[in-house]
Amino acid sequence: MARRSAVTPALAPSGDTALAVLAGVGPAVAAKLAARGLASLQDLWLHLPLRYEDRTALTRIQDLRNGVPAQVEARVVAVDRGMRFRPTLKVAVEDEGQGTLVLRFFHFRQQQVAQFAVGTRLRCFGTPKPGQLGLEIVHPSYEILGRNDDPALGDSLDPVYPTVEGMGPATLRRLIGQALDRLPEESTLELLPPGWLDGLALPSLRSALLTVHRPPPDANLAALAAGTHPAQRRLALEELLAHHLSLRRQRIALQAHHAPPLAGPGRLCKALLKQLPFALTGAQKRVFGEIRDDLAKPRPMLRLVQGDVGSGKTVVAALAAMLAVEQGKQVALAAPTELLAEQHLTNLRGWLEPLGVQVAWLAGKVTGKARSKVLEQVANGQAQVVVGTHALMQDAVVFHDLALAIVDEQHRFGVHQRLALRDKGAGGRSVPHQLVMTATPIPRTLAMSEYADLDVSAIDELPPGRTPVQTVALNNDRRPELIERIALACREGRQVYWVCTLIEENDELDATPAQATYESLQALLPGVRVGLVHGRLKASEKLATMVAFKAGQIDLLVATTVIEVGVDVPNASLMVIENAERLGLAQLHQLRGRVGRGSAVSRCVLLYQARLSAMARERLETMRQTNDGFVIAEKDLELRGPGELLGTRQTGLAGFRMADLARDADLLPEVHALAERLLGEKPAVADRVVDRWIGSAVKYAGA
Ligand code: ADP
Ligand code: MG
């Protein structure tokens, strides 16, 4: 990463100036700002408003709408200081239109209570929500008015900034204002060469910054509120450019390393293919071809294989592994859960041991002597393919000659874990090739930006003979009917999944709801063989139950979302997902992918608890309408935003200040073209762009 010292002198006198030059910034304030990654004037210029508050108008209480921020002018009519669960201050106010509204405070000072004498006039701003007595606003911002005060309304939008811990919003706003007063002239501030943005109808960076921080009254306020104002797009463009450049740079750095070329004749691949009970699909062949081309090069591969659930990624990974084994090298395959890792182990042992390939197992529960033995085999090269969980990434695991690291469902791992495996190449002299697999389809827009450091292959075809799953949404009060249908299906020899979702996000946490459902279904379905898997069971118990289900010895499997990934039982043709309204689209799609793997028509019943929120209704409707993982992923992006979708919030990648990948997707082609041009013609400027937007964040994260 570029360091701050890489900034050229032209920018240094202004942008790089430490914040101590601002009035009111002593060591204590500077430390608070630094803790938020704000160390220079430039950092404050780029501390962009999260949103705006519109105080340009007053709203009558009777016209307030749930969830729509508004400003109200009213008189205090009653004050109630309660202590039910925690201290609460409730102030009822009424306006000219006779509407009443409750202002509720959970944190307040004694002097505040005194301020709200009955009859006091005030102006307040906030977001109304339904309360016990009609609408209420929790912690409004407010201003007490004198008897005859009638202050002018704002003439523009007020910016709301991301908070700095230990600092009030007014102080922060004042400091940003001071920093803006020191904005240098346009030509000094602009990093992109003159003329490069011509034709885009975007303002200069200087003008864009002033507009977003201090929207002029004549600005298009609706566009600003929506984030589509040209000033915002100018900033988003440069920010996206910085992110893209930083990923491209990481990739260039990676490609400078050596990796062992794996270009054998493919004897083991042929042997594996010969043994399989099926032929590869066209998509599998194409993707394996792409991997094979990468692996033949003396530079590390970094390829993401995305393929919908059931598209057959495992066998492609196994073929890639054979290319490494054939050259006398080692392969690691990591999966995020023990259940999934064990399933890979079973598959790979079944396929590879007949070819004389040694497959070793390393998970957290492998301990003591067994663990020492595996570690020894990994270190001396006897273990040719090592399958496991996070345990593979620990320091104690030293490979003899790791040439290929495969990570399944990588979004469940952090970027750092992926890197930990990468660093296990032969004595640090070479870097292993990396193959990353995911069944969470990544919308095209995201694949182009967040994954600019990866090559992407898509297995966009399912093996033949699969029939699309029919999905219905069913109100929980029709459960008895559903149970009758399950009894019937089981009598016909079909197998059924019943998935219980938990209130806790963490599926390893609590097994009781699944246990209770298991017991009640057992009672309601005499003659049906019911099994149970959940996260609290030992991996061996889970596996035993799954094996019994796969062998047809269990008809109905009650499970928590632990079965989400990887489980493969083609005869299962009905899935019930209980409380489906609680799950996100990606997870619902993953779960549903467990059925529809055989030739029988499969059904998925999304059992929901009324009443549905608008979001939940839309999710269930999407699931009903399509089986296409890409359509679902695009919808998910629209409903949730990209950070959550990729699980990148932990990695810091999706922490954009201005850009929004869904909203600003149309800028990406321009961003990519600019990035290529900069890297080719002005690499030093590329460094400065990265440094400006993410330099300090990176430094901060590394500290
Ligand atoms: P995923 O991509 O979800 O990881 P898997 O690799 O688990 O999918 O494959 C799902 C199932 O499809 C497995 O039983 C696998 O053996 C089978 N399979 C894979 N490729 C093919 C193919 N070309 N034809 C038929 N079945 C296949
Ligand atoms: Mg899989």
Side-chain angles (χ1 to χ4, degrees):
M1 277 294 128
R3 313 245 73 190
R4 197 146 284 280
S5 58
V7 172
T8 63
L11 190 69
S14 47
D16 222 23
T17 305
L19 293 175
V21 300
L22 302 182
V25 180
V29 171
K32 285 179 194 166
L33 292 165
R36 188 70 172 72
L38 304 171
S40 67
L41 289 183
Q42 176 166 279
D43 294 336
L44 281 188
W45 302 335
L46 296 182
H47 196 67
L48 301 173
L50 279 178
R51 56 190 167 82
Y52 295 93
E53 287 179 355
D54 182 355
R55 290 192 177 77
T56 62
L58 291 172
T59 304
R60 288 193 308 176
I61 290 175
Q62 66 188 60
D63 296 333
L64 289 175
R65 299 220 323 267
N66 178 12
V68 181
Q71 178 169 244
V72 163
E73 191 172 294
R75 221 166 1 88
V76 175
V77 291
V79 180
D80 173 33
R81 214 185 139 183
M83 263 303 291
R84 262 164 57 84
F85 300 106
R86 45 180 175 161
T88 310
L89 174 63
K90 286 191 288 183
V91 180
V93 300
E94 195 177 282
D95 68 1
E96 311 273 278
Q98 308 289 301
T100 31
L101 170 73
V102 173
L103 312 179
R104 186 188 287 270
F105 299 84
F106 295 110
H107 315 281
F108 52 94
R109 288 188 303 269
Q110 195 51 44
Q111 79 211 58
Q112 261 174 302
V113 183
Q115 274 184 331
F116 293 121
V118 170
T120 306
R121 288 177 64 224
L122 53 81
R123 247 182 221 176
C124 64
F125 184 94
T127 306
K129 293 264 148 60
Q132 291 148 337
L133 312 159
L135 288 177
E136 63 180 43
I137 298 180
V138 175
H139 284 224
S141 59
Y142 66 91
E143 178 188 8
I144 303 285
L145 303 179
R147 184 175 292 274
N148 298 313
D149 278 359
D150 190 15
L153 290 170
D155 61 2
S156 186
L157 299 180
D158 294 339
V160 179
Y161 291 103
T163 53
V164 170
E165 201 171 320
M167 182 177 291
T171 310
L172 181 59
R173 216 172 303 151
R174 191 168 43 73
L175 293 177
I176 291 172
Q178 282 190 57
L180 287 174
D181 292 340
R182 292 167 191 251
L183 262 184
E185 57 174 22
E186 228 159 81
S187 60
T188 313
L189 193 63
E190 207 71 56
L191 293 179
L192 297 174
W196 279 30
L197 296 183
D198 283 1
L200 292 180
L202 295 175
S204 71
L205 185 65
R206 186 173 203 281
S207 143
L209 284 171
L210 287 171
T211 304
V212 302
H213 283 292
R214 299 170 170 165
D218 61 352
N220 180 344
L221 301 186
L224 267 178
T228 55
H229 192 284
Q232 291 162 314
R233 286 171 59 80
R234 171 66 184 79
L235 296 169
L237 176 88
E238 191 166 316
E239 183 174 35
L240 289 169
L241 178 63
H243 278 259
H244 191 74
L245 285 169
S246 132
L247 289 170
R248 291 277 290 124
R249 220 161 51 174
Q250 282 173 32
R251 184 192 164 90
I252 291 165
L254 178 70
Q255 296 260 301
H257 286 91
H258 174 80
L262 305 173
R267 184 182 52 79
L268 283 172
C269 294
K270 283 195 197 99
L272 170 56
L273 286 171
K274 214 163 128 193
Q275 250 196 63
L276 290 175
F278 50 76
L280 294 188
T281 61
Q284 285 171 316
K285 279 188 202 151
R286 174 172 44 78
V287 170
F288 177 55
E290 289 163 1
I291 294 170
R292 194 172 181 153
D293 288 347
D294 284 355
L295 292 179
K297 294 176 187 149
R299 287 190 307 276
M301 169 176 81
L302 184 47
R303 184 169 288 277
L304 173 76
V305 171
Q306 54 175 120
D308 217 339
V309 279
S311 61
K313 294 182 288 295
T314 319
V315 71
V316 172
L319 285 166
M322 288 308 92
L323 289 173
V325 171
E326 193 170 271
Q327 300 298 308
K329 311 274 183 191
Q330 288 173 296
V331 178
L333 168 56
T337 65
E338 281 202 2
L339 188 67
L340 184 52
E342 292 211 43
Q343 193 163 279
H344 282 316
L345 180 73
T346 315
N347 276 334
L348 291 185
R349 283 204 167 138
W351 288 335
L352 306 185
E353 285 186 346
L355 308 180
V357 175
Q358 288 296 315
V359 183
W361 168 241
L362 191 62
K365 66 157 199 276
V366 179
T367 53
K369 276 222 183 82
R371 179 176 152 88
S372 320
K373 189 164 158 240
V374 177
L375 289 182
E376 193 188 312
Q377 290 173 342
V378 173
N380 69 20
Q382 236 177 315
Q384 293 164 290
V385 176
V386 190
V387 180
T389 54
H390 298 87
L392 279 178
M393 291 150 183
Q394 290 160 359
D395 287 342
V397 184
V398 178
F399 285 83
H400 174 65
D401 193 358
L402 179 66
L404 173 62
I406 305 172
V407 180
D408 196 10
E409 300 301 340
Q410 71 101 30
H411 62 287
R412 299 271 211 106
F413 289 108
V415 167
H416 305 291
Q417 287 167 316
R418 193 181 94 203
L419 295 182
L421 206 48
R422 185 194 74 187
D423 292 341
K424 292 190 184 293
R429 275 171 289 109
S430 89
V431 171
H433 298 282
Q434 294 177 75
L435 179 62
V436 170
M437 305 193 288
T438 183
T440 301
I442 296 158
R444 210 174 44 83
T445 47
L446 281 186
M448 284 162 67
S449 52
E450 291 293 281
Y451 284 93
D453 64 333
L454 276 75
D455 292 305
V456 180
S457 294
I459 306 187
D460 47 10
E461 176 189 354
L462 292 178
R466 306 260 169 98
T467 26
V469 181
Q470 296 173 4
T471 302
V472 293
L474 201 69
N475 191 319
N476 194 40
D477 59 17
R478 292 174 60 191
R479 206 179 169 102
E481 275 168 63
L482 175 64
I483 288 174
E484 269 172 43
R485 291 220 334 235
I486 290 176
L488 203 69
C490 291
R491 233 173 290 143
E492 287 170 358
R494 292 161 172 250
Q495 287 176 287
V496 182
Y497 289 105
W498 184 293
V499 182
C500 300
T501 56
L502 304 173
I503 297 170
E504 288 84 356
E505 287 284 71
N506 186 343
D507 51 22
E508 311 285 329
L509 220 56
D510 188 1
T512 31
Q515 180 74 37
T517 306
Y518 168 69
E519 284 165 14
S520 95
L521 288 174
Q522 249 183 340
L524 289 167
L525 291 165
V528 171
R529 294 164 299 175
V530 187
L532 173 66
V533 284
H534 58 69
R536 284 253 194 93
L537 296 176
K538 290 204 194 99
S540 57
E541 294 171 315
K542 278 188 264 183
L543 196 66
T545 306
M546 289 311 304
V547 168
F549 187 53
K550 194 160 179 163
Q553 292 153 2
I554 289 175
D555 305 307
L556 170 63
L557 183 67
V558 177
T560 53
T561 48
V562 292
I563 63 149
E564 179 188 344
V565 281
V567 176
D568 188 36
V569 181
N571 189 49
S573 62
L574 174 60
M575 169 172 286
V576 178
I577 304 177
E578 200 167 357
N579 295 117
E581 77 278 3
R582 287 195 201 140
L583 298 184
L585 272 175
Q587 207 178 5
L588 287 171
H589 179 65
Q590 291 260 340
L591 284 169
R592 183 173 60 181
R594 304 301 110 211
V595 290
R597 295 187 158 219
S599 45
V601 173
S602 293
R603 291 201 170 75
C604 176
V605 178
L606 305 172
L607 207 54
Y608 65 84
Q609 201 72 47
R611 298 171 37 208
L612 288 175
S613 71
M615 281 271 260
R617 181 178 306 277
E618 197 154 351
R619 286 198 297 264
L620 298 187
E621 188 54 28
T622 304
M623 289 297 293
R624 242 174 35 72
Q625 280 171 0
T626 182
N627 277 296
D628 184 330
F630 284 86
V631 173
I632 290 174
E634 296 282 355
K635 190 75 194 173
D636 205 22
L637 177 64
E638 183 190 315
L639 291 178
R640 286 203 302 171
E644 252 185 293
L645 187 62
L646 289 170
T648 42
R649 275 186 310 181
Q650 316 93 288
T651 69
L653 272 179
F656 289 113
R657 299 159 194 257
M658 174 57 73
D660 175 326
L661 283 169
R663 185 187 66 208
D664 303 323
D666 64 311
L667 290 172
L668 289 172
E670 192 62 43
V671 166
H672 297 153
L674 280 170
E676 291 318 305
R677 192 164 168 203
L678 269 185
L679 287 170
E681 297 174 30
K682 309 247 175 206
V685 173
D687 284 351
R688 287 173 59 194
V689 172
V690 174
D691 193 59
R692 166 181 280 176
W693 287 89
I694 42 191
S696 58
V698 167
K699 219 164 38 168
Y700 171 60

